[in-house]
Amino acid sequence: MIMGGRKPCCDEVGLRKGPWTVEEDGKLVDFLRIRGGGGGWCWRDVPKLAGLRRCGKSCRLRWTNYLRPDLKRGLFSEEEIQLIIDLHARLGNRWSKIAVELPGRTDNDIKNYWNTHIKRKLIRMGIDPNTHRRFDQQNVNEEEEKVLKVNSPKPPSEPEVVVVPVVLQNDTSAGNLNELADVDGDDQPWSFLMENDGVGAGELTMLLSGDIASSCSSSSSLWLKYGDLGYEDLELGCFDD
DNA sequence: AACTATCGCAACCGCGCGGAT
DNA sequence: GATCCGCGCGGTTGCGATAGT
């Protein structure tokens, strides 16, 4: 016995590790279908009861992350992605808390998707994924945030990323903020990062990335849809030299 | 076609928390 | 109060699939 410390979970010899086989999955699913949530067992007992040579922890992980019948497979929707970004801005890396708001998604799913997709996307847009603030604008005070403003021009060799903070003047509900995200898309040269208090007022930071120069050279304006409130012409004359 | 690099995801690992004793 | 124990969480790793050269 280990006094004062933790007993290793998988120290028994002969326990299997690595990818699960179809047979193992079947045994675990059968066991949980029969015994279900009725209690009378703990995860540590499951391998013995189900006839598996795995540690209980591995069984629990396999069930919660892969075998649970209520899991949603497949790609994350735009709504889910936006929700993850929003929740991460408020909760940080508390994946289990974030997963509560996304039925059918596991914390592991969300964590993986964040690390492989969203994090990279934010970085490409010039946002620190940890703070949800622009890398080079962290000390800008709120008054300055209210003024449309762009970063200094970058050398031509670098991909062009333009950041335009937009503070909504309307009494914008969280719902409307979410609708704003609908104009976002992979084929668009812009993306949105939303921050709102979930009650009423909110702040929308719009980040323009990609070939902005060609997008804006013919016209120094951009039409932004304000949910049900119609369209507003964002003055982008700031892109002009 | 062969090799290498990158990506995406499943699974593992170690730690902390909280309940039970 | 100290210790044990089970569970859940977050970080990290391993590896197959895919893309690029």
Side-chain angles (χ1 to χ4, degrees):
Chain A
M1 181 179 293
I2 301 172
M3 297 298 291
R6 285 199 55 73
K7 183 183 176 183
C9 163
C10 306
D11 61 344
E12 286 183 46
V13 292
L15 289 184
R16 272 182 49 77
K17 284 187 180 180
W20 281 62
T21 64
V22 176
E23 290 77 22
E24 287 177 313
D25 282 348
K27 286 182 179 180
L28 185 56
V29 169
D30 284 346
F31 171 78
L32 287 159
R33 193 167 50 214
I34 295 167
R35 307 293 282 263
W41 56 270
C42 64
W43 281 110
R44 199 179 180 83
D45 300 330
V46 168
K48 197 181 295 179
L49 296 170
L52 291 162
R53 291 171 61 194
R54 295 271 180 175
C55 70
K57 194 172 184 175
S58 181
C59 293
R60 181 181 60 81
L61 216 59
R62 182 64 177 172
W63 174 257
T64 55
N65 286 340
Y66 197 82
L67 297 174
R68 256 170 49 202
D70 60 323
L71 287 183
K72 193 192 290 184
R73 317 297 300 182
L75 297 173
F76 282 73
S77 68
E78 279 299 318
E79 289 74 19
E80 287 176 312
I81 293 169
Q82 202 56 62
L83 185 57
I84 292 168
I85 294 172
D86 184 33
L87 290 168
H88 187 273
R90 285 189 272 148
L91 301 170
N93 292 354
R94 295 188 179 89
W95 305 116
S96 58
K97 300 278 183 282
I98 293 172
V100 169
E101 305 296 325
L102 287 104
R105 302 293 189 183
T106 70
D107 54 351
N108 209 39
D109 274 343
I110 296 167
K111 178 173 59 182
N112 281 334
Y113 196 80
W114 174 270
N115 286 327
T116 57
H117 293 88
I118 301 175
K119 198 171 176 180
R120 200 170 300 150
K121 183 179 178 180
L122 292 178
I123 290 170
R124 267 206 308 270
M125 292 175 355
I127 299 173
D128 184 339
N130 298 312
T131 63
H132 291 257
R133 294 185 178 280
R134 279 160 282 125
F135 282 119
D136 53 347
Q137 295 280 321
Q138 298 198 10
N139 295 322
V140 176
N141 65 40
E142 286 192 13
E143 288 304 308
E144 288 172 329
E145 290 279 346
K146 293 176 184 173
V147 181
L148 290 180
K149 162 178 201 177
V150 296
N151 288 348
S152 56
K154 290 184 162 53
S157 58
E158 294 184 23
E160 187 158 13
V161 176
V162 184
V163 178
V164 181
V166 179
V167 177
L168 299 178
Q169 301 300 318
N170 310 63
D171 179 17
T172 308
S173 70
N176 281 335
L177 279 175
N178 286 332
E179 285 188 48
L180 283 169
D182 291 344
V183 297
D184 188 12
D186 287 339
D187 54 342
Q188 306 282 18
W190 57 77
S191 296
F192 292 99
L193 173 67
M194 289 182 289
E195 292 182 61
N196 66 75
D197 58 12
V199 177
E203 182 182 72
L204 170 72
T205 302
M206 185 179 69
L207 300 113
L208 306 176
S209 60
D211 191 1
I212 285 300
S214 63
S215 298
C216 300
S217 59
S218 60
S219 168
S220 60
S221 65
L222 175 69
W223 292 91
L224 177 64
K225 184 171 184 278
Y226 277 68
D228 293 328
L229 304 174
Y231 290 82
E232 174 157 333
D233 181 10
L234 294 179
E235 296 292 332
L236 296 183
C238 49
F239 290 123
D240 298 337
D241 287 332

